[in-house]
Amino acid sequence: MSAHILETVRRPGLRQAQRITSEALALQVAAELAAEFAQSAAERDRERILPFDQIERFSHSGLWAITVPRSHGGIGASWQTVAEVFRLISAADPSIGQIPQNHFGNLNLIAKLASEEQQRFFFNEVLEGARLGNAGPERNGKNVLDVRTRATLDTAAGDGSYLLNGTRFYSTGALYAHWIPSRALDDEGQPLVVYSRHDAPGLRVIDDWSSFGQRTTASGTVVFDNVRVPASQVLPLKDALQQPNNIGPVSQLIQAAIDAGIAHAAVQDTIAFVTTRSRPYVDSGLERASDDPYILRDIGNLSLRLHAAEALLEEAAAVLDSLPAKISFEQMAQASVAVAEAKVLSTEVALLASEKLFELSGSAATLASHNLDRHWRNARVHTLHDPVRWKYFAVGNYALNGTPPPRHSWS
């Protein structure tokens, strides 16, 4: 695949989105869209067909606005509903499921840190169908928190605006977005989140995502070359991130929901293949592969692990929903640990189910026409977002020593 700069004509236009009026309706709409998206998911993955049309359908359904607070015209959906929406969509097509992860993370950031005027503006944008993308971590930094992108105050302009310069990668959602947020440092080295319009002069979105999994998220490069950003589109983070918040746990909950969706799809496709296509092993003496006791044992194991992961996902979301508006550092730690537990199981069952699919289904399942390897490729790539080995560490360190997990978006 060769990299190319996205043509302007493919950039999304704003249209009036539908309004979701209840959480029950949100889940109904998500289930209907998931059934639609699943029909062509394998083809999109095989041919790397970017899901512009599906993303338009998804956001204009109103689902991308369900966390807008009631005070600003939304329904203020619970995190349990948000997690279930992500799980449903990701079971159908996890690339489509992943694309809005940063949109929802930024809505939560705006709700927690933005001024009333900024909240009013951005929440209204989202209610009208705008999508928030992401200019992700930098490829050459020492870690994901190493920020080299700079937002320099334009003193010559005298209007409080900034000039944004930097190159970002892992920019899931940017290709489909109307607004592209980015972390940056100001002249004093203090952290900011800067929201740039997708068509701002000097901003380029480059489709150079070449991963073997999550192939249509287009999580490639964003380049800022003296992009002018008004002060009204900048969130200072210095003081806000020193206070307890749910930003990290919410981000991780969405990641776990995507993995749970991948796992669900892999288990269902395994069951479907074994019951309709697989032949029994010659030594079994059976007529049907679905009567093989060893297959039955493994399907049972996958099913219970999937149900356990889904239960922990629901429990973690309930912990987030139970938090008061002003939380303590202890409550923040408890939420992070609850989500970490869900992330461990969702990661492990996604990888296990997508690998067991072939062992249980047999060699016929490996044929390219089925494209069933997309489940493993998607699971392997998406679960790398944050290493599960450090989730075990966080849970154990909190249980044994009372040490809270680190306070950032990957915890």
Side-chain angles (χ1 to χ4, degrees), residues 57-282:
R57 291 269 294 116
F58 190 6
S59 68
H60 293 297
S61 72
L63 284 173
W64 288 43
I66 59 174
T67 60
V68 172
R70 291 185 179 275
S71 58
H72 287 273
I75 64 169
S78 67
W79 295 116
Q80 292 180 76
T81 293
V82 172
E84 181 63 5
V85 167
F86 270 89
R87 191 193 68 82
L88 286 169
I89 298 295
S90 298
D93 185 332
S95 284
I96 293 177
Q98 186 183 349
I99 287 165
Q101 68 182 19
N102 295 300
H103 171 94
F104 280 89
N106 274 282
L107 284 181
N108 186 46
L109 194 71
I110 289 167
K112 295 290 182 292
L113 306 182
S115 68
E116 178 63 29
E117 182 180 356
Q118 288 173 320
Q119 289 182 5
R120 185 165 53 249
F121 175 78
F122 280 111
F123 288 148
N124 185 66
E125 284 278 290
V126 170
L127 287 170
E128 290 184 353
R131 296 187 288 272
L132 308 178
N134 177 53
E138 293 158 356
R139 297 182 77 172
N140 299 319
K142 60 184 179 181
N143 57 51
V144 295
L145 297 177
D146 184 14
V147 177
R148 303 181 185 184
T149 301
R150 293 295 185 268
T152 304
L153 188 65
D154 189 354
T155 54
D159 58 1
S161 63
Y162 291 81
L163 294 176
L164 185 63
N165 287 278
T167 299
R168 316 284 291 184
F169 195 64
Y170 303 110
S171 301
T172 303
L175 200 65
Y176 311 94
H178 302 95
W179 291 91
I180 301 178
S182 178
R183 293 289 181 104
L185 299 180
D186 66 14
D187 295 317
E188 298 178 353
Q190 298 303 325
L192 309 170
V193 175
V194 183
Y195 292 81
S196 304
R197 293 183 182 274
H198 71 86
D199 55 358
L203 190 155
R204 291 187 297 154
V205 179
I206 304 173
D207 180 18
D208 56 353
W209 179 244
S210 60
S211 174
F212 62 71
Q214 295 296 91
R215 298 187 67 224
T216 63
T217 60
S219 304
T221 299
V222 174
V223 178
F224 301 100
D225 183 7
N226 273 345
V227 176
R228 184 174 299 281
V229 183
S232 60
Q233 295 164 209
V234 176
L235 296 185
L237 297 180
K238 176 184 175 182
D239 297 328
L241 293 183
Q242 301 306 312
Q243 303 300 317
N245 60 71
N246 70 352
I247 294 169
V250 164
S251 174
Q252 290 299 293
L253 180 78
I254 292 172
Q255 304 295 343
I258 295 168
D259 295 334
I262 296 172
H264 178 87
V267 170
Q268 291 305 306
D269 274 357
T270 303
I271 292 171
F273 207 98
V274 168
T275 55
T276 62
R277 294 176 178 271
S278 297
R279 296 183 298 181
Y281 183 57
V282 62

Side-chain angles (χ1 to χ4, degrees), residues 19 25 65 76 163 165 198 233 245 286 330 375 381:
R19 293 294 178 98
L25 179 59
L163 294 176
N165 287 278
H198 71 86
Q233 295 164 209
N245 60 71
L286 298 169
E330 176 59 24
H375 297 308
V381 169

